[in-house]
Amino acid sequence: MLRRQLRRAALAMLAAILAAAGTQLATGAPAAAVRTVYYDASRTGEFRTNVDQAAQIWNSRVSTVRLQPGTPASITIYVDDGWPRAQPTGLGSGRIWMGRQAVNQGYDRNRIAAHELGHILGLPDRRTGLCSDLMSGSSAPVSCRNANPSATEANRVNSLFAGTLAAPVSTTYTWSGTSDIGPTVVGGRPATENYPFMVYVSGCTGTLIKGNWAVTAKHCSTPSSVRVGSINRSSGGSVVRVTRAVNHPSVDVKLLQLASSVTYAPAPIPSTSGAVGTATRIIGWGQTCAPRGCGSAPTVANELDTSIVADSRCSGINGPYEICTNNTNGNSGACYGDSGGPQVRRVNGVWNLIGATSRAGNNNSTCATGPSIYVDLPSIRSWISTQVGGLPV
C-alpha cells in the first residue's frame, strides 16, 4: 500500500514538473476529443464500397476526426451522371455527388470518393497536377490511382478539427474544375427536333461541321470518343472515336477529328453571324437550374430561343470574334455543363451554326443572370476550313 502511494505521488510530481515545462505526460487519455462525423452513403449505388474505403483511408491518416456510416448523418452522398462534386455546409457537413462522368473518363473511384470527402473535411481544390496530392483532383493524370491524402493535407484536416485553423468558407467544388465545365441551357425546353449535327462531348457539347469533324470549346477536355447525331446523350446516333484535336490559337474553339465519317448532316457555317437583334437558338446538355452544381445534366438536350444583343452587354467580350447572346426574359440562357454547344439561326429554312458556347458575359457564377458569350464561328470560318480540309458548301 505504501509503495503504491509513493508511486502515485512520484507520478503526480513528475506531471507537475513536465506541465511547468510545457510538456504533457501521456496518461492513455487523448489530448483532444476526436470528433465523429456520420455519413449516409445509402444512395450511392455502385459507389458504396468506394465511399466506405475512402472513409477508412481518412480514418487511417487523421487523428482529430473519424468518419463513420450512420444516422443522423451530417454528410449525405448521392450518385448521378454528372461530374463528382461536393457542397460543404460547414466543417464536417454537406453533400457529395459521386458523378459518373469522371469514372467514364477513366478516373479512379476511390480517389474521387476520398477527394470529395476531403472537401467536406475542409480542404479546397489545389490543382497542382501531382498524383501525390489528393486535392489535385482532375488536374492529375487520369492514370493516377492515389486515394491517400498527403501529409500536408492530413495535417491541415487535423488542425481544422482541433480548432487551431479557421474553417474555410463554404462553396461548391466540382471535380472537373472551373475551366472544364461550361454553359448549357437554363429556362429552355427539351429539344423539339432531332438535330442531326448535335455531338455529345463528355460533359461538354459540340457540333458536327463536316462528316469527320466537330467543333467544341477549347477549354473542354478532349474525349476519346463522342456521340454524334442524337439529342439523347446516352443513346441513338453513332459513337465515334476522336483521333485528333486542334485548338484555335486565340479564341475558345477546339476542332475534333473523328476516326471515320458519319452520314448525319453537318451544320453549315455561314459567312456572317448576323446583326444585333438576329433571332438565334442555343442547344445543349447540362444542368437546367441556375446555381453552380445544383443539378445534373438532362439526358435529352434542351433548347432556348434567344437573340444577338449589343457587345456592350457582355463584359470582357472580344467583339470581332465573339457574340453577346441575350439571357431571354432575364432568367434564361447558358449555364454549367455544356461549353462548346451550338448557337444556330435559320437561313433559308436550314439551321446554320454561328456560335460555340464559351462563358458567362457578366462574370457571375449563377447562370442566366446576364448574357452569354459565344465564339463567332463565321469570323474564323477560313481558319476552320483550312484545318478540316475544306468545309461543305
Side-chain angles (χ1 to χ4, degrees), residues 313-327:
R313 295 270 308 275
C314 285
S315 174
I317 192 170
N318 183 355
Y321 297 101
E322 293 179 328
I323 302 168
C324 189
T325 303
N326 195 29
N327 56 322

Side-chain angles (χ1 to χ4, degrees), residues 37-41 67 73-77 92-96 117 120:
V37 172
Y38 292 97
Y39 65 89
D40 177 5
L67 296 169
S74 56
I75 306 173
T76 306
I77 311 172
S93 64
R95 294 174 292 276
I96 291 173
L117 283 172
I120 305 299

Side-chain angles (χ1 to χ4, degrees), residues 189-195 231 283 300-303:
R189 59 181 179 266
T192 58
E193 303 176 34
N194 190 29
Y195 305 99
I231 57 172
I283 314 165
V300 174
N302 274 227
E303 65 185 31

Side-chain angles (χ1 to χ4, degrees), residues 253-301:
V253 160
K254 176 188 295 184
L255 302 176
L256 301 175
Q257 185 174 19
L258 310 182
S260 58
S261 292
V262 296
T263 58
Y264 306 102
I269 300 176
S271 58
T272 60
S273 55
V276 171
T278 297
T280 68
R281 177 173 290 181
I282 59 176
I283 314 165
W285 292 277
Q287 67 178 55
T288 56
C289 49
R292 183 179 178 88
C294 60
S296 58
T299 302
V300 174

Side-chain angles (χ1 to χ4, degrees), residues 1-10:
M1 177 68 73
L2 179 61
R3 184 180 300 171
R4 193 177 305 139
Q5 291 174 338
L6 290 173
R7 184 171 179 273
R8 288 175 181 169

Side-chain angles (χ1 to χ4, degrees), residues 33-41 51-52 54-56 58-59 62-77 88-96 116-122 157 160-162:
V34 177
R35 177 177 164 187
T36 298
V37 172
Y38 292 97
Y39 65 89
D40 177 5
V51 172
D52 290 337
Q56 291 307 310
W58 275 108
N59 289 343
V62 297
S63 57
T64 57
V65 60
R66 180 170 182 80
L67 296 169
Q68 185 171 319
T71 54
S74 56
I75 306 173
T76 306
I77 311 172
T89 54
L91 185 60
S93 64
R95 294 174 292 276
I96 291 173
E116 301 305 335
L117 283 172
H119 286 314
I120 305 299
L121 297 179
V157 169
L160 285 167
F161 280 85

